[in-house]
Amino acid sequence: MKKFLAVVLVVTLGFSVQAQDKKAKALSDQVTAKIKSFDNIVIDFKYTLANAKENINQESKGNVTLQGNKYVLNFMGVTKIFDGKKTYTIVPEDEEITISSVNESDDKAITPNKMLTFFNSGYKYTWDIQQNINGRKIQIIKLVPNNAKDQRKEILLGIDTQTKTILIS
């Protein structure tokens, strides 16, 4: 009888986790639809690099303005401007400007289409905690890369459940 109850418990938990993962994917799909409905977007963001082994804990802030397939990105003292065909990288500290063509089919190319929808593929979705931040209900979706060679362990994506927008803090 104990074995039967253990099997039932494992199967029930498995279905619950799978339903939560589908729920997380469905919410991220709603966010993608909302993002695609905007004419332009301005985002302020924070990037944190934490490496306990090397005793590194670094935080950098930046911002990006998107309109159609064009963007202006300011991050770590560098400005990147993409006009739809070429990327202009401006590094004031080095008094340097680099101009390069962009191949949108390149997986590593940063384009507006990829910036806010990077989470649509290549990740396992997990429904995580819900938090109340400044009176807004924020659902956290944990993204774990499918590729074992990816250096990122996980990405936490905060989604405002009412507006279906990404919370970037």
Side-chain angles (χ1 to χ4, degrees):
M1 183 68 173
K2 287 183 181 179
K3 287 183 181 179
F4 175 73
L5 287 175
V7 169
V8 169
L9 181 63
V10 168
V11 170
T12 303
L13 286 174
F15 284 129
S16 175
V17 168
Q18 188 176 23
Q20 296 257 330
D21 292 348
K22 286 182 180 180
K23 196 172 162 183
K25 175 68 172 139
L27 182 58
S28 71
D29 289 344
Q30 291 173 358
V31 169
T32 299
K34 178 89 176 218
I35 288 168
K36 289 182 176 181
S37 74
F38 294 134
D39 291 329
N40 55 45
I41 301 172
V42 176
I43 302 169
D44 293 317
F45 62 89
K46 176 176 65 175
Y47 172 78
T48 303
L49 174 63
N51 183 334
K53 184 178 176 182
E54 298 294 327
N55 197 24
I56 298 172
N57 193 9
Q58 179 182 9
E59 189 175 285
S60 302
K61 293 182 180 184
N63 62 61
V64 63
T65 303
L66 308 166
Q67 182 173 14
N69 199 32
K70 300 174 184 174
Y71 68 84
V72 176
L73 170 69
N74 296 296
F75 183 60
M76 298 180 74
V78 175
T79 299
K80 282 191 174 245
I81 301 170
F82 179 62
D83 65 5
K85 295 178 184 173
K86 295 185 182 207
T87 301
Y88 304 84
T89 305
I90 305 165
V91 185
E93 184 177 306
D94 296 338
E95 297 180 356
E96 179 179 277
I97 298 175
T98 306
I99 302 171
S100 57
S101 297
V102 174
N103 178 0
E104 283 195 50
S105 62
D106 179 3
D107 290 338
K108 294 181 182 180
I110 297 174
T111 65
N113 298 333
K114 294 178 185 178
M115 275 187 210
L116 294 176
T117 58
F118 73 90
F119 53 84
N120 285 341
S121 63
Y123 296 95
K124 177 184 174 214
Y125 299 80
T126 305
W127 193 260
D128 208 65
I129 63 172
Q130 187 175 75
Q131 297 180 335
N132 187 337
I133 299 175
N134 297 329
R136 298 165 55 191
K137 287 185 182 178
I138 306 299
Q139 178 61 53
I140 305 298
I141 304 294
K142 184 188 297 184
L143 305 172
V144 178
N146 291 334
N147 184 346
K149 294 180 181 179
D150 195 320
Q151 293 181 355
R152 297 168 293 187
K153 178 181 171 186
E154 66 185 29
I155 297 170
L156 299 177
L157 185 65
I159 299 174
D160 185 318
T161 57
Q162 183 177 1
T163 64
K164 305 295 190 264
T165 56
I166 299 171
L167 173 73
I168 302 173
S169 62

